[in-house]
Amino acid sequence: MTKIEVRRATQLRALIAAAERTIAEQGLAGLKARDLAAEIGVSLGGLYNIVGDLDEAILHVGARTLTRLDQSLAEAATGEDRPIERLVATALAYCRFADANLTLWRALFEHRMGPGVALPEWHAATQLDLFAHIAAPLRELLPGAKPERRALLSRTLFSAVHGVIALGLEEKLVAVPRGKLEAQVELLVRAVCAGLAAKFGGEAGN
Amino acid sequence: MTKIEVRRATQLRALIAAAERTIAEQGLAGLKARDLAAEIGVSLGGLYNIVGDLDEAILHVGARTLTRLDQSLAEAATGEDRPIERLVATALAYCRFADANLTLWRALFEHRMGPGVALPEWHAATQLDLFAHIAAPLRELLPGAKPERRALLSRTLFSAVHGVIALGLEEKLVAVPRGKLEAQVELLVRAVCAGLAAKFGGEAGN
DNA sequence: TGTACATCAGTGAACGCGCGTTCACTGATGTAC
DNA sequence: TGTACATCAGTGAACGCGCGTTCACTGATGTAC
């Protein structure tokens, strides 16, 4: 690795860190090319030697956020045996992560790619990794259900929990108030699991 | 009502209709003062005699959307007796409304007021009206639960359903695919209801 | 009914602001001999 | 090792675009006599 390549890597790391700080403090809309360049001690034009455009910077930050989220969820579920408890612990960890990283987490969902521009697959892969945290316990919980069915259920369960947390943290009028959030998330997961177990239980097929 | 007042009312109606059309076609970001003025045959400056600013126009459209949604939900639940079926029908109606009015419905949640600016209470009231569609069946379903508890459950159930639909219609990677959306929403509502009934059932208190 | 006047709706050019990206230029870095 | 040269990272002024809101002016509407 040449001297220049080393500097590049250092600059990219600094850029991502700075962008993350800014997004955490001011949200996606607060990220400006000029500020970002100034913050990492590069001229405005130099920014575009490090990343192709601001979108790329945002994607890098998003990837970091997803990775950190993944770690949080992984930690949360260790030490739990029963699948339902694992699912509850995962949901609560998601809740706490979103709360502690509110704007970064929001940015994950606010950010829409321009039309026709697909998101890079390394990013997509990280997103899908998250499902392991739900899919695995669900497999234990519903051994009788078909895999594709369980995949759908994973998505539904994730989306439902996500919805409660997202509206709650936005403090929308129709949302669960912040103080009751964790309790309601737990209640939701338990209720869904109970309902699903009753329906798909140990039985085969369907 | 003087001639001028009549014209004002007409202009306001035209403005809301035009703004609604634009938002439906191009989203919130597509709404521009100049286009809106041109569309209703008023000069740019004249726009600000009809509404104070663009935000006001957006709020008007939002109110209309909420009202239409309210009607859809009301219609959907008529003819259903059992509370669970009413909840399912309501959730499915919500799903279909969101699908059929995607950008308008998104605008309802995208739009954030400037900091310190509360949303007008006529708007808040309309939002809360929506809860009747959930709260009423839930009261029948869980006669034993305390009212405040039920209020929380209404919010949780709403948010959960909303989450599945929102991610699904955005076609996010982690979401339920569009084609399976209605089925999964129904499944979610039934599972939650089953879970809740098992927990709070006819029993008293808690 | 007719006339003079006041009010205020309507106009659109101009203001003020913000911002992502480019590009001709410079100077530091690395290479070849 | 030393020198001449090529490459390309770095610079920041300028480009190009977009947009909400204001304001001095005009002309239509309604009123008072």
Side-chain angles (χ1 to χ4, degrees), chain A residues 27-123:
Chain A
L28 265 192
L31 188 70
K32 319 287 181 187
R34 280 165 184 77
D35 298 347
L36 187 56
E39 194 140 3
I40 62 175
V42 166
S43 70
L44 181 55
L47 204 65
Y48 295 85
N49 290 331
I50 308 175
V51 285
D53 55 24
L54 273 191
D55 248 41
E56 200 180 315
I58 293 173
L59 280 179
H60 277 293
V61 174
R64 247 185 71 83
T65 307
L66 281 176
T67 304
R68 292 194 300 121
L69 173 57
D70 191 69
Q71 286 167 0
S72 292
L73 299 192
E75 280 171 31
T78 57
E80 298 288 354
D81 262 6
R82 288 160 298 173
I84 291 189
E85 301 309 318
R86 294 239 298 283
L87 286 171
V88 168
T90 304
L92 290 179
Y94 187 62
C95 192
R96 286 188 210 108
F97 181 91
D99 188 30
N101 301 272
L102 188 51
T103 56
L104 285 170
W105 174 72
R106 258 188 208 149
L108 239 33
F109 295 89
E110 265 178 36
H111 185 239
R112 274 213 249 320
M113 308 294 295
V117 188
L119 81 170
E121 60 175 304
W122 55 268
H123 204 278

Side-chain angles (χ1 to χ4, degrees), chain B residues 7 10-11 14-15 18 21 33-47 50:
Chain B
R7 177 160 51 185
T10 308
Q11 284 175 322
L15 183 150
R21 224 176 307 131
R34 280 166 183 77
D35 298 346
L36 187 55
E39 193 141 1
I40 62 175
V42 166
S43 71
L44 180 56
L47 204 66
I50 308 176

Side-chain angles (χ1 to χ4, degrees), chain A residues 1-10:
Chain A
M1 206 153 61
T2 84
K3 224 172 187 177
I4 284 184
E5 282 171 328
V6 170
R7 178 160 52 187
R8 261 295 126 79
T10 308

Side-chain angles (χ1 to χ4, degrees), chain B residues 83-102:
Chain B
I84 291 190
E85 301 308 319
R86 294 239 298 283
L87 286 172
V88 168
T90 304
L92 290 179
Y94 187 62
C95 193
R96 287 190 208 107
F97 182 91
D99 188 31
N101 301 272
L102 188 52

